Amino acid sequence: GQRSYAYSEMNGRTALVSQAAARAAAAGILVVVSAGNEGLTADPYIGAPCDADSVLCVGAQDSLGMAAPFSNRGPSADGRVKPDVSSLGVAAPVVTAGGALGLRSGTSLSAPAVAG
Protein backbone atom coordinates (compact mmCIF):
# COMPACT_ATOMS: atom_id res chain seq x y z
CA GLY A 1 0.00 0.00 0.00
CA GLN A 2 0.90 3.63 -0.14
CA ARG A 3 2.02 5.66 2.83
CA SER A 4 2.28 9.39 3.22
CA TYR A 5 5.27 10.70 5.13
CA ALA A 6 5.36 13.86 7.22
CA TYR A 7 8.07 16.47 6.63
CA SER A 8 9.63 15.43 9.95
CA GLU A 9 10.25 12.01 8.37
CA MET A 10 12.12 13.44 5.36
CA ASN A 11 15.46 12.48 6.88
CA GLY A 12 16.70 10.12 4.17
CA ARG A 13 16.21 7.04 6.33
CA THR A 14 12.46 6.63 6.82
CA ALA A 15 10.73 6.48 3.41
CA LEU A 16 11.12 3.14 1.63
CA VAL A 17 11.94 4.80 -1.70
CA SER A 18 14.69 6.84 0.00
CA GLN A 19 16.14 3.67 1.49
CA ALA A 20 16.09 2.02 -1.95
CA ALA A 21 17.72 5.06 -3.59
CA ALA A 22 20.44 5.08 -0.91
CA ARG A 23 21.11 1.37 -1.53
CA ALA A 24 21.43 2.00 -5.27
CA ALA A 25 23.85 4.87 -4.60
CA ALA A 26 25.86 2.65 -2.25
CA ALA A 27 26.13 0.15 -5.10
CA GLY A 28 27.75 2.83 -7.28
CA ILE A 29 24.70 4.07 -9.17
CA LEU A 30 24.30 7.82 -9.59
CA VAL A 31 20.70 8.42 -8.53
CA VAL A 32 19.35 11.71 -9.94
CA VAL A 33 15.86 12.75 -8.81
CA SER A 34 13.56 15.73 -9.30
CA ALA A 35 12.96 17.96 -6.29
CA GLY A 36 9.23 18.28 -7.04
CA ASN A 37 6.88 21.06 -8.11
CA GLU A 38 5.02 21.91 -4.90
CA GLY A 39 7.10 24.97 -3.97
CA LEU A 40 4.06 27.25 -4.04
CA THR A 41 1.95 25.02 -1.79
CA ALA A 42 1.63 24.75 1.98
CA ASP A 43 4.21 21.90 1.86
CA PRO A 44 7.05 23.29 -0.30
CA TYR A 45 9.82 21.03 1.01
CA ILE A 46 11.67 18.23 -0.75
CA GLY A 47 10.24 14.77 -0.34
CA ALA A 48 11.35 11.22 -0.89
CA PRO A 49 13.71 10.14 -2.38
CA CYS A 50 15.27 13.62 -2.59
CA ASP A 51 15.78 13.45 1.16
CA ALA A 52 18.34 10.64 0.87
CA ASP A 53 21.81 12.05 1.46
CA SER A 54 23.43 10.02 -1.31
CA VAL A 55 21.10 11.01 -4.16
CA LEU A 56 21.50 14.04 -6.39
CA CYS A 57 18.35 16.12 -5.84
CA VAL A 58 17.71 18.59 -8.69
CA GLY A 59 15.63 21.75 -8.44
CA ALA A 60 14.41 23.97 -11.27
CA GLN A 61 15.70 27.38 -12.27
CA ASP A 62 14.99 29.85 -15.04
CA SER A 63 17.36 30.83 -17.86
CA LEU A 64 18.85 33.58 -15.66
CA GLY A 65 19.74 31.12 -12.89
CA MET A 66 16.96 32.20 -10.53
CA ALA A 67 15.25 29.46 -8.54
CA ALA A 68 11.81 28.58 -9.87
CA PRO A 69 9.16 29.45 -7.27
CA PHE A 70 7.33 26.16 -7.93
CA SER A 71 10.45 24.06 -7.27
CA ASN A 72 10.48 22.21 -3.94
CA ARG A 73 13.24 23.23 -1.58
CA GLY A 74 15.01 22.13 1.55
CA PRO A 75 16.40 21.71 3.95
CA SER A 76 15.76 18.06 4.66
CA ALA A 77 14.10 17.32 7.99
CA ASP A 78 17.52 16.67 9.53
CA GLY A 79 18.93 19.98 8.26
CA ARG A 80 20.84 18.99 5.11
CA VAL A 81 20.87 21.47 2.22
CA LYS A 82 18.65 20.27 -0.63
CA PRO A 83 18.26 20.39 -3.58
CA ASP A 84 21.90 19.69 -4.32
CA VAL A 85 21.89 21.42 -7.72
CA SER A 86 19.44 23.07 -10.09
CA SER A 87 19.05 23.23 -13.85
CA LEU A 88 16.78 24.78 -16.44
CA GLY A 89 13.21 23.86 -15.57
CA VAL A 90 11.32 27.04 -16.50
CA ALA A 91 10.26 27.42 -20.14
CA ALA A 92 12.55 24.56 -21.13
CA PRO A 93 12.46 23.59 -24.80
CA VAL A 94 10.80 20.22 -25.43
CA VAL A 95 9.40 18.14 -28.24
CA THR A 96 5.74 17.44 -27.46
CA ALA A 97 4.01 14.08 -27.87
CA GLY A 98 2.70 15.36 -31.21
CA GLY A 99 6.22 16.14 -32.41
CA ALA A 100 5.94 19.92 -32.14
CA LEU A 101 8.45 22.14 -30.39
CA GLY A 102 7.23 23.74 -27.18
CA LEU A 103 8.20 25.16 -23.81
CA ARG A 104 7.38 23.40 -20.55
CA SER A 105 8.27 23.89 -16.89
CA GLY A 106 8.97 21.52 -14.02
CA THR A 107 11.69 19.71 -12.13
CA SER A 108 10.92 16.69 -14.32
CA LEU A 109 12.72 18.66 -17.04
CA SER A 110 15.66 19.84 -14.93
CA ALA A 111 16.65 16.44 -13.50
CA PRO A 112 17.06 14.73 -16.91
CA ALA A 113 19.17 17.67 -18.10
CA VAL A 114 21.54 17.09 -15.17
CA ALA A 115 21.50 13.31 -15.63
CA GLY A 116 22.42 13.76 -19.30
Side-chain angles (χ1 to χ4, degrees):
Q2 294 182 346
R3 179 174 188 265
S4 294
Y5 295 95
Y7 173 68
S8 62
E9 295 177 296
M10 293 295 103
N11 56 23
R13 298 176 306 279
T14 302
L16 293 177
V17 69
S18 298
Q19 293 174 31
R23 284 189 188 122
I29 298 169
L30 176 59
V31 181
V32 181
V33 295
S34 300
N37 300 319
E38 293 83 30
L40 294 173
T41 70
D43 188 20
Y45 302 105
I46 55 104
C50 252
D51 63 326
D53 65 357
S54 51
V55 306
L56 187 62
C57 177
V58 184
Q61 67 182 37
D62 65 20
S63 62
L64 299 175
M66 300 299 295
F70 62 78
S71 186
N72 288 34
R73 51 195 171 274
S76 62
D78 57 353
R80 288 174 289 111
V81 175
K82 291 284 185 165
D84 300 295
V85 297
S86 63
S87 181
L88 183 64
V90 176
V94 299
V95 177
T96 67
L101 295 178
L103 299 174
R104 300 291 187 270
S105 297
T107 59
S108 292
L109 300 169
S110 54
V114 168

